[in-house]
Amino acid sequence: MNAVKHPIRRSFVFFLIPDFTMIAFATALDPLRSANRMLGYEAYRWRLASIDGKPVRASNGVECAVNTSLEEERRKMAGPDRPNMAIVCSGTNVERYQNKSAFAWLREEYNRGVAVGGLCTGAHILAAAGLLSNKRCAIHWENLPGFSEAFPKANVFADLFEIDQNIYTCAGGTAALDMMLKLIGDDFDESLVNRVCEQVLTDRVRSPTDRQRLPLRARLGVQNSKVLTIIELMEANLSEPLSLIEIADHVDLSRRQIERLFRTEMGRSPARYYLEIRLDRARHLLIQSSLPVVEVAVACGFVSASHFSKCYRELYARSPQQERVDRKQLLAA
């Protein structure tokens, strides 16, 4: 008797960028291996690629060997080894990555009907390649401020993952597992997803819109619902800060009540807390983007660069300009 032939459902190319995040890469790849094992045949195939075919070092220092270079991938584009999906694996320092050849290859794959994806900060690479204009995407929360400023045409969300037609992006970490389980479920059924979940010791597939970060209550150790509501208002209005009167109207409290609550729960005034979270966003923008300092100031609700610099120095004991210098020296080391 002839052996039963099972169709390959999808083939993947994982394109590794220097300093890629290992946990996102591993939690994207291993569900495919588990699915194959549960099915008893190779429904999914994959290979690893880099710019030049040489090993790529992850952000944790581990070097990962690859199968192909981009030159080889281009040759495979017109043949039977063309992938169904090309996934960019990146991580730290993604804003420094500029490679026109890689960007062109991603566009070529996409234009030929190949799905493209990004793990962790991979959305940054896809946006730089011109693939995310008017597309929904997800990126790690830490990189979201800089990404939003650099690529205003992309519809970025602080979700675990986003699927917009033929573009798949996730926030990294274990969110890559959720995105791949969704893909496996679309290809097969919930039964297979449940078996893979049992294999990797997770109890469910999280929704795309589940939180990336811990809820404020857990993150800050604050239980007062009014204080949490006020902080959420502040975090949602950083470029155009609300006045304390406007905040008071939103939560139906007096200014004096809000002052007392913040002194008790947060150990500082609401104005001080609001300033600190605006400066924290500014720090992310200084590190992750090349925006001029004056534009960073405006994006974080400061009316002048001089006032911004004064506040920044008071909190971080260095100027915004020095923050950038220190960052460049650290990366060059």
Side-chain angles (χ1 to χ4, degrees):
M1 293 179 63
N2 293 330
V4 176
K5 289 187 177 180
H6 298 283
I8 297 295
R9 288 301 179 97
R10 296 187 199 238
S11 59
F12 296 82
V13 171
F14 289 90
F15 178 53
L16 306 186
I17 302 291
D19 293 323
F20 71 94
T21 303
M22 183 64 77
I23 187 172
F25 169 61
T27 53
L29 184 59
D30 233 46
L32 303 177
R33 179 195 63 81
S34 293
N36 285 347
R37 183 182 176 205
M38 298 298 108
L39 291 165
Y41 69 93
E42 192 179 50
Y44 296 109
R45 288 180 181 170
W46 56 86
R47 58 181 179 264
L48 312 184
S50 67
I51 282 288
D52 52 10
K54 295 179 180 179
V56 183
R57 186 184 295 272
S59 59
N60 63 5
V62 174
E63 278 202 348
C64 188
V66 302
N67 308 107
T68 59
S69 65
L70 283 198
E71 184 179 344
E72 292 171 288
E73 285 301 326
R74 282 196 167 91
R75 288 198 293 268
K76 293 177 183 292
M77 234 186 263
D81 290 330
R82 188 181 79 162
N84 301 109
M85 192 169 184
I87 298 181
V88 177
C89 308
S90 60
T92 58
N93 306 322
V94 67
E95 62 279 352
R96 299 174 61 211
Y97 189 81
Q98 293 292 328
N99 191 295
K100 292 181 180 179
S101 179
F103 299 158
W105 169 71
L106 286 166
R107 289 192 296 270
E108 290 164 25
E109 293 281 13
Y110 181 74
N111 290 335
R112 286 173 177 258
V114 175
V116 295
L119 306 181
C120 191
T121 60
H124 198 289
I125 304 294
L126 298 183
L131 294 174
L132 292 186
S133 291
N134 301 312
K135 298 289 187 182
R136 292 176 64 91
C137 61
I139 198 167
H140 193 278
W141 63 265
E142 196 172 36
N143 299 86
L144 200 150
F147 180 90
S148 298
E149 295 295 333
F151 304 106
K153 291 183 179 180
N155 299 323
V156 64
F157 296 89
D159 295 341
L160 292 183
F161 65 92
E162 283 287 344
I163 301 172
D164 191 335
Q165 297 180 327
N166 225 19
I167 295 179
Y168 295 69
T169 52
C170 79
T174 56
L177 171 64
D178 299 288
M179 186 174 79
M180 298 308 278
L181 289 173
K182 171 69 168 63
L183 184 150
I184 292 168
D186 289 345
D187 285 349
F188 291 95
D189 54 30
E190 188 177 348
S191 172
L192 177 59
V193 171
N194 290 338
R195 292 167 69 193
V196 174
C197 283
E198 288 182 338
Q199 185 69 26
V200 300
L201 305 183
T202 187
D203 61 351
R204 67 186 179 99
V205 182
R206 291 176 294 177
S207 164
T209 56
D210 276 9
R211 293 174 182 265
Q212 286 189 30
R213 304 182 72 183
L214 288 173
L216 276 176
R217 191 181 300 274
R219 185 158 29 110
L220 301 176
V222 174
Q223 300 301 316
N224 189 289
S225 60
K226 290 288 188 181
V227 172
L228 293 171
T229 299
I230 292 168
I231 293 173
E232 287 175 350
L233 275 172
M234 290 176 173
E235 290 187 345
N237 294 274
L238 298 180
S239 59
E240 296 183 8
L242 301 173
S243 69
L244 193 51
I245 293 174
E246 290 173 312
I247 292 172
D249 288 342
H250 270 96
V251 295
D252 197 26
L253 292 174
S254 69
R255 291 180 58 181
R256 189 167 295 178
Q257 286 173 312
I258 293 175
E259 291 278 359
R260 281 201 299 266
L261 274 174
F262 264 74
R263 292 289 182 190
T264 301
E265 298 285 345
M266 308 304 297
R268 51 176 86 52
S269 71
R272 179 64 187 180
Y273 186 83
Y274 206 169
L275 175 64
E276 288 176 2
I277 60 175
R278 287 160 57 208
L279 289 170
D280 180 65
R281 177 184 173 88
R283 185 168 181 272
H284 282 296
L285 288 175
L286 289 167
I287 290 172
Q288 298 166 8
S289 77
S290 57
L291 286 174
V293 170
V294 66
E295 291 185 27
V296 171
V298 171
C300 298
F302 292 90
V303 295
S304 71
S306 59
H307 181 231
F308 167 58
S309 294
K310 177 177 179 293
C311 294
Y312 197 94
R313 187 184 293 276
E314 286 176 353
L315 183 62
Y316 295 114
R318 56 187 176 277
S319 68
Q321 293 83 354
Q322 190 60 46
E323 185 76 74
R324 281 212 162 131
V325 170
D326 291 348
R327 174 68 172 173
K328 288 178 181 177
Q329 289 175 345
L330 179 64
L331 292 174

